[in-house]
Amino acid sequence: MGIPYYVPSGNECLLFETAFRRQLPLLIKGPTGCGKTRFVLHMAAKLGRPLFTVACHDDLTAADLTGRFLIKGGETVWVDGPLTRAIREGGICYLDEVVEARKDVTVVLHPLTDDRRMMPLERTGEILRAPDEFMLVVSYNPGYQNILKSLKPSTRQRFIAISFDFPPPETELEIIATETGLERDKCRVLVNLATQLRILKDVDLEENISTRLLIYCAILMMEGLDPYQAAQAALIEPLSDEADVQQGLLELVRATWG
Amino acid sequence: MGIPYYVPSGNECLLFETAFRRQLPLLIKGPTGCGKTRFVLHMAAKLGRPLFTVACHDDLTAADLTGRFLIKGGETVWVDGPLTRAIREGGICYLDEVVEARKDVTVVLHPLTDDRRMMPLERTGEILRAPDEFMLVVSYNPGYQNILKSLKPSTRQRFIAISFDFPPPETELEIIATETGLERDKCRVLVNLATQLRILKDVDLEENISTRLLIYCAILMMEGLDPYQAAQAALIEPLSDEADVQQGLLELVRATWG
Amino acid sequence: MGIPYYVPSGNECLLFETAFRRQLPLLIKGPTGCGKTRFVLHMAAKLGRPLFTVACHDDLTAADLTGRFLIKGGETVWVDGPLTRAIREGGICYLDEVVEARKDVTVVLHPLTDDRRMMPLERTGEILRAPDEFMLVVSYNPGYQNILKSLKPSTRQRFIAISFDFPPPETELEIIATETGLERDKCRVLVNLATQLRILKDVDLEENISTRLLIYCAILMMEGLDPYQAAQAALIEPLSDEADVQQGLLELVRATWG
Amino acid sequence: MGIPYYVPSGNECLLFETAFRRQLPLLIKGPTGCGKTRFVLHMAAKLGRPLFTVACHDDLTAADLTGRFLIKGGETVWVDGPLTRAIREGGICYLDEVVEARKDVTVVLHPLTDDRRMMPLERTGEILRAPDEFMLVVSYNPGYQNILKSLKPSTRQRFIAISFDFPPPETELEIIATETGLERDKCRVLVNLATQLRILKDVDLEENISTRLLIYCAILMMEGLDPYQAAQAALIEPLSDEADVQQGLLELVRATWG
Amino acid sequence: MGIPYYVPSGNECLLFETAFRRQLPLLIKGPTGCGKTRFVLHMAAKLGRPLFTVACHDDLTAADLTGRFLIKGGETVWVDGPLTRAIREGGICYLDEVVEARKDVTVVLHPLTDDRRMMPLERTGEILRAPDEFMLVVSYNPGYQNILKSLKPSTRQRFIAISFDFPPPETELEIIATETGLERDKCRVLVNLATQLRILKDVDLEENISTRLLIYCAILMMEGLDPYQAAQAALIEPLSDEADVQQGLLELVRATWG
Amino acid sequence: MGIPYYVPSGNECLLFETAFRRQLPLLIKGPTGCGKTRFVLHMAAKLGRPLFTVACHDDLTAADLTGRFLIKGGETVWVDGPLTRAIREGGICYLDEVVEARKDVTVVLHPLTDDRRMMPLERTGEILRAPDEFMLVVSYNPGYQNILKSLKPSTRQRFIAISFDFPPPETELEIIATETGLERDKCRVLVNLATQLRILKDVDLEENISTRLLIYCAILMMEGLDPYQAAQAALIEPLSDEADVQQGLLELVRATWG
């Protein structure tokens, strides 16, 4: 496996490398499907470190990250969680949508993100010292944040941070063409549509269209679906359930594609 | 067992097949009893893949999908959940009303619905790679959605989507006649009634009448119940508890059936 | 044990038998103590099927219905729940006040109430196919329903339904006389009182008086309590704690009984 | 142990005995400390049946009543709960403040309180038939009831009911004198005070003074405390924390005792 | 260990002794740090009974008081909780801030606080009879009480009660001097300050200053800190986080100490 | 390991030492990243005591502090929690953000913070007496406190307290220069910026900038990032997600740095 394809749009690679070299924890902010996960995959491969990704959610607890004793074949054995494995193997641990995790996760993150750089495994009695190659990366989507779910400042101020957005049009065109093989003219039409959609003020979307959906649409077109059917299934239906919003999106597709 | 009976109303079979061939996850939207489950049964049989259906609910957790260690005859054994089995056997996993499931389900769905197409079984230490034949299908009813229960955009934008509705009258007549053996004239009366009901604006129904209830009504008529008794038991009582709504429905039955 | 005594008030026996013969799930709606449980007991005996009744409540989970592994005498053994037993033995499973059960119960009911008619026992790895003799009956009281507790339309539209009410006066008199041996004149006085009470608009009762309470009152009278003491203990005190409501009821008793 | 001392104030003994003889479940309503528990103790002794009392609370579950498997000396043994013991031994089970119990308790009470008179012990596979000597008595205080906590009508209409109140003055005097040995003149002063307090409209008490507190006060006086100190410790402080309410009570004590 | 130092301010010792002799449960009310715990320590020593103190909190359950089966060195052994030990050893059990405990604690307290004076240990099958030397003491702070957290009258009316307040100035001076060795002149200044603070109406404090904090301040002064630094660390900072409240307190310190 | 670098800003070292010598528990108040943790590290090293730090959170329970029985290699062994270890080894236990912990933690802290200075380990049956060298330190950030989460006065009045703030400019400059090696002129620019930011009234920040973030910014500058990129990643992005707040911060950076 080579290094996963990634087209940078700013100084994010430099910042990631600096953070890695100086053992600074990194926070990535940005909307759904703008390429945060791909960027981390790319950097992990480039730096030659194993990557441990965890999609956080309401019920994620510290033990899901650190590990637990499990019963296997009648014996009780300790099984490392993804964070513990990242520390032991000097890898990168990526907590996606970290604000969704439960609050006991902070007890694990705090001593890992100051000069102690250690993690006590109370259950086994071990104290793990993070090697220089270990790096903690977390992400969240500022568009979701609300009062109940946010990083406490005492956690947040332990990270340097980068803001992500969708790639600029030429980059996005490049990505779609490379990933799907669709001819560039058709890719350009898709990117133009996305640009229109993302600046749209009159349509009530919970979140903007992602590069991923554009790629899905391109795949359906490559498979022979007519562009309107492809847009219906890959763009309009995934974005909204509201009849009037869907109608607005459809008109935009028609206006853009002629 | 042959291929379960299904009458398509649009390009849904083509979209399903394309999604299956290109490993795109599929989201099906639509009202109760419009045939979503039957459609998935039909496609799974047509594509020759085993189907694993899970009716999601408030307390459904990731472990219900992936599996758990159980104690059997004094020994601890791992028992695959339906999602794990679908991956191992290259089958189709169908999560019905996925928005009802608890949030830790996302941790399982995310790595399965991007280019990783994998699922870590932390408890056993396995990392499952989904074979090309594995497909994830989820459904929900947009009519139910509320602020507390909805797919997060970061999950939703991982699927291509199809919207379902009740079948057009001629198709629905065909379905009822085939499934129950009731003569076509009587089936037509039932379908006409359903058409009237579904466009009704003055009656307060939580959800529209399903094809399933029409079939129940036809069965009761086949069994010799008089049509009004059949309509009372299979259409009116299941649709509402409100006396005035029931009265409105009864009048509509009378007006339609003479 | 013969067939439990039951006096029909409409086509409910025909509907139950038809549903049983055609494998349609049945929903019974009606107020407290109007005879729903007795009706199901009667039909089960008439059809010669074993009956498994479960009074649902806020904490009832799927495992309470399907079964669980229990530790008995040091060994772990699987113990079937009442629903599982009903399926294995081709019996009738009656879930009383089903809207009270927790939401994971739907995961069990859905595949049992469409053409699959099956129930996977994930914990044992079994897939049970319901025999033709298995029937699912659920009930609830529409008077209680609120926004938080109701059957979702996707569950509800899986049943044919009957509405129950208190028996008509002559039937209720018959029931009381048969069950308690109280002379018919005195029974008539009780039934007249109930009729008055049930149409009462000025008294604030959470629910109307049940046939059961009339029977209790008749028993106390048979035991020699004076009718006012019997009415106080069996009718007035069980119906309300409010002094003014109790006063209103007492006046009605006096007016009716002279 | 003889029959615990109890002075009846109405037909409650007759009603209890009739309910016992005819297997009717009994509901006792009344304020704190008015003698409900003592009445049940008295009747159980008089009828020669063992009594099993459970003080219900927010976390009381069905298993607390029926029993559970416990690990004792390395072995798993089933331990009957108080309700199960009452059934096996043909005793009286008294659930004090039953509205406080959790909702799964209804699943146990319902089949015990209709003509089935049985209780399935799912965990052991047993089905217990209640002998004729078994009786279920429940109580609650209507003064506490609120919307969240009340007996559902479907449960409530399974009981005959008695309302309790504080004993009439002469009876209460008798009780205090018998229980504490305090001379009757002083007892009369206490009873007069209670009578005044219970009709008091201007003082904001959560609940009225119980016979129990009057007995405590009498004990302190027997031990040589001066009557004001005794009233302070046994009447005023237990009834309220509010300075003005305490002041009002003190003035009433002064006015009554001179 | 001698009898812990305690200076009575009223008839509290007499009341405690009487309650102990006559087996009446005792409720102590009063603000934080006014000496409730010290009083109980003192009385337990004076009466020669072992004392078992439990600081109650939101998650304290009945099992925390009664005991549980624990696994020790591979064997399951029953470990008595503090209440059980107090009963077995004829000691005094003191539940501090009892209103904080969970509601299942009442099930334990009720049979212990009426003439039964017993506690069933359901898990072991034992029924403990409390010896005459056993005494139950509970306390709470009326200043905290709210609607959600309070003793139910049915629990509360089982206790005789004493109200505590801060000791009178001369007593408090005596306590500080004895406990810290600070010279009496300086102690008087501290007591004067406390007196001023406790009658203060213009400053918004959640609770008044305790004797404990005055002792802390005296210790810091004994250790050579200047009185203002001592007051800052032992009085002002522990009492409030609000800048304006702290300023008000500081001005009071300056005004009192010159 | 030498004594961690710490520059005092007041009498905090004297207070800590006095509290340690006289066994007074210590409460440290102050904003995020102002050096509380570093101060405790410094004092623990200076006093030669081992330090046990716990970052408290919503789900932290007493058992997380005291210890629990764990299954290791098939055997059940007791594993001390950090508080228990601190007591046994005569160390300092530091509970960071103690108001976040669950309420059962108070049951552990209370007997440790009065003259008893002991901790019962109910599960093992041990009663630990804290040696003179044991010290309890807790901290919280008054800026976060709300009604739901605060120390109860009965807990709070058991501590002497110190208020922390960010270090004065010259001290902060010294810290940044020493920790990162950045030349003093550039450090001064960073400190000036922080001073500006901390007095800013027009920008809506949840919490002020910490010394830690200034150090991160200095590191990025040492690594060759241009100062604006460094400020963006280490100051602006970690402080806020709001576009207008970020704009305000950026303008301040420009105004300060020229």
Side-chain angles (χ1 to χ4, degrees), chain F residues 9 38 90 151 212:
Chain F
S9 13
R38 178 64 69 96
L151 283 185
R212 190 197 313 267

Side-chain angles (χ1 to χ4, degrees), chain A residues 34-224:
Chain A
C34 70
K36 299 190 294 286
T37 300
R38 178 63 69 95
F39 168 57
V40 178
L41 273 167
H42 172 80
M43 292 306 301
K46 207 160 142 192
L47 294 167
R49 308 309 319 155
L51 177 65
F52 300 84
T53 300
V54 181
C56 299
H57 56 83
D58 286 22
D59 297 327
L60 190 99
T61 63
D64 293 318
L65 294 179
T66 55
R68 36 170 72 87
F69 281 102
L70 295 178
I71 299 167
K72 280 189 176 174
E75 273 194 76
T76 314
V77 293
W78 172 263
V79 177
D80 282 343
L83 179 57
T84 304
R85 291 189 57 202
I87 295 172
R88 290 203 206 275
E89 305 178 20
I92 293 169
C93 184
Y94 174 43
L95 306 180
D96 191 15
E97 299 199 40
V98 70
V99 293
E100 300 287 332
R102 290 174 64 102
K103 297 302 171 58
D104 64 344
V105 163
T106 54
V107 88
V108 171
L109 298 188
H110 278 202
L112 266 176
T113 50
D114 53 30
D115 19 293
R116 289 173 286 170
R117 277 180 71 80
M118 59 97 165
M119 180 170 79
L121 286 181
E122 286 171 25
R123 307 244 158 187
T124 66
E126 276 179 283
I127 293 188
L128 299 178
R129 306 275 160 196
D132 285 358
E133 293 76 20
F134 169 77
M135 179 177 184
L136 181 69
V137 182
V138 304
S139 76
Y140 72 88
N141 181 344
Y144 286 169
Q145 265 196 300
N146 57 30
I147 271 166
L148 287 176
K149 290 248 178 125
S150 60
L151 283 185
K152 290 190 295 182
S154 65
T155 301
R156 191 178 166 135
Q157 293 207 10
R158 290 163 177 276
F159 293 84
I160 65 166
I162 321 177
S163 234
F164 266 59
D165 208 339
F166 299 110
E170 283 313 304
T171 310
E172 196 161 40
L173 188 157
E174 195 58 38
I175 293 168
I176 299 169
T178 308
E179 297 254 333
T180 71
L182 188 72
E183 44 192 299
R184 286 175 175 264
D185 277 3
K186 291 183 176 165
C187 291
R188 184 169 311 278
V189 171
L190 280 169
V191 170
N192 286 347
L193 178 68
T195 306
Q196 293 296 321
L197 260 170
R198 287 170 187 157
I199 61 173
L200 209 62
K201 292 279 173 270
D202 302 340
V203 170
D204 184 28
L205 289 178
E206 200 181 345
E207 190 154 8
N208 244 317
I209 194 169
S210 64
T211 308
R212 188 196 315 263
L213 286 185
L214 299 176
I215 291 170
Y216 281 5
C217 191
I219 290 174
L220 294 185
M221 287 163 77
M222 284 294 287
E223 288 288 324

Side-chain angles (χ1 to χ4, degrees), chain E residues 192-203:
Chain E
N192 287 347
L193 178 68
T195 308
Q196 293 296 320
L197 260 170
R198 287 170 187 156
I199 60 173
L200 208 63
K201 290 281 174 269
D202 301 340
V203 169

